[in-house]
Amino acid sequence: MDLKPILIYNPTAGQGNALKKLPEMEALLAQRNFVYDLVLTDKPGAALPLARAAAEEGRPLIIAAGGDGTMNETINGIMTAELQGRARPSLAILPVGRGNDFAFGIGIDNDIEHSIEILMARKHSLIDIGVVTGGDYPSGRFFGNGVGVGFDTVVGFEAAKITWLHGIASYLVALIRTIFIYAHAPIYELKFDNTTLQQPFLLISIMNGRRMGGSFLMAPKGQHGDGQFDLCLAGDIAQSRILAVAVKFISGTQEKDKAVNLARAKTISVNAISGKIPVHADGETISTGCDTLKVEILPAALDVISNLDGTPA
């Protein structure tokens, strides 16, 4: 007997707003006669073992409803499952979080009904998955959207402290805070493919998708299935210019700034020469300050239900 899809739902996503959206989501799925098992997460990290167990049971489809953290945990559960030779289950996303950047990258917007229509259409795409090794994860952590090193990681740390604002507003306030907290670029040795750079880096963004922080297009031309990461590298930027440069990331025009360079690579390593490496993957903390970091890509590693060929998010 075929097992039903499982819907892993994070009721605390979007600063608790996800719980308010659950009745609407259940009603929309019922209208479409979609049969599934629902399980609610009860603490941070809970989606990972739930997804792993679902994959090991042989569930054909795992649906993650939450934000980028829930998505990241679900991907890690699927990727670490012992499948005994079976294929990995497909992943679907119903975005009810704050940033929803992974969903954006695969063409799914924040409208609940639209995301359910994409689920029902069952358009499958094979996407790349990244692995980041270092900090709190010496054995590696999988990610779907991207890794941030430096300034944008600290912005995420600050945004998590802001509970009275939602969405992009919290990130903008955190951005302004971070200008004063993290104004001086540490010196890193950055190696990617056949290139080595040793210089101050305010920010290193390693993108599988396109966007971070709900509105910042770190990789305007990023594609989830092209077998390479898009790198966005910001050098030493004067404190007085950080805000002006950061605004360019919202429109995806940062490449026009002389302090920003874009590149593409399959393998990246970062070594701290001075200072430490604060790093996140999909918004999840990898380290508040480590010395070394390695990032690798796994091409076409996960099947997702997407809208990549449809109306963009």
Side-chain angles (χ1 to χ4, degrees):
M1 183 178 69
D2 292 336
L3 294 171
K4 290 182 284 186
I6 187 170
L7 171 56
I8 299 173
Y9 198 99
N10 179 2
T12 66
Q15 296 172 315
N17 284 325
L19 183 60
K20 301 173 185 176
K21 297 176 181 179
L22 181 55
E24 178 188 359
M25 186 174 291
E26 289 182 295
L28 289 168
L29 290 168
Q31 287 173 14
R32 291 158 176 82
N33 298 312
F34 185 76
V35 179
Y36 61 99
D37 289 324
L38 172 67
V39 60
L40 272 59
T41 60
D42 58 359
K43 60 184 177 181
L48 194 159
L50 289 169
R52 181 190 290 144
E56 291 176 351
E57 287 174 357
R59 302 263 184 173
L61 174 64
I62 297 175
I63 308 160
D68 287 308
T70 306
M71 173 277 303
N72 180 270
E73 292 176 20
T74 303
I75 286 176
N76 275 272
I78 293 172
M79 296 299 294
T80 57
E82 296 288 342
L83 299 175
Q84 308 299 322
R86 296 191 307 271
R88 291 189 182 108
S90 299
L91 172 67
I93 300 293
L94 298 177
V96 289
R98 180 167 56 171
N100 302 318
D101 294 316
F102 176 77
F104 174 86
I106 60 172
I108 303 173
D109 61 29
N110 294 342
D111 180 79
I112 292 175
E113 187 162 9
H114 186 218
S115 67
I116 289 176
E117 290 295 342
I118 293 169
L119 168 63
M120 301 305 296
R122 297 290 183 98
K123 185 186 295 180
H124 293 263
S125 301
L126 280 175
I127 67 165
D128 309 325
I129 293 295
V131 184
V132 56
T133 305
D136 297 337
Y137 296 92
S139 298
R141 174 92 178 183
F142 296 98
F143 65 92
N145 188 53
V147 165
V149 171
F151 187 87
D152 75 310
T153 303
V154 180
V155 171
F157 293 161
E158 290 302 307
K161 300 174 186 177
I162 298 171
T163 58
W164 63 93
L165 291 173
H166 301 282
I168 183 58
S170 63
Y171 285 102
L172 290 175
V173 171
L175 169 65
I176 294 168
R177 284 183 178 181
T178 307
I179 290 172
F180 298 96
I181 296 170
Y182 195 83
H184 302 291
I187 298 173
Y188 297 146
E189 180 186 69
L190 173 66
K191 294 182 179 181
F192 55 95
D193 292 350
N194 297 318
T195 300
T196 299
L197 301 172
Q198 185 172 307
Q199 65 177 70
F201 285 101
L202 188 72
L203 174 151
I204 298 171
S205 184
I206 303 166
M207 295 298 297
N208 191 36
R210 296 173 56 209
R211 191 182 75 184
M212 280 186 182
S215 288
F216 300 95
L217 290 167
M218 312 305 288
K221 299 177 182 178
Q223 296 181 27
H224 274 281
D226 61 1
Q228 294 190 85
F229 294 119
D230 286 77
L231 308 185
C232 183
L233 313 173
D236 198 6
I237 301 172
Q239 187 178 34
S240 60
R241 289 193 64 240
I242 291 176
L243 182 59
V245 174
V247 169
K248 294 180 181 179
F249 284 85
I250 297 176
S251 59
T253 58
Q254 64 269 23
E255 188 179 11
K256 297 178 181 179
D257 194 281
K258 61 183 180 181
V260 178
N261 291 294
L262 304 184
R264 306 186 79 213
K266 296 179 180 179
T267 303
I268 301 101
S269 66
V270 184
N271 296 299
I273 305 300
S274 71
K276 294 288 186 178
I277 306 171
V279 54
H280 76 86
D282 295 340
E284 299 296 290
T285 301
I286 301 300
S287 178
T288 56
C290 58
D291 295 312
T292 63
L293 194 72
K294 184 176 182 179
V295 185
E296 300 172 276
I297 200 160
L298 303 177
L302 185 63
D303 180 80
V304 298
I305 293 177
S306 74
N307 191 35
L308 286 171
D309 297 323
T311 304

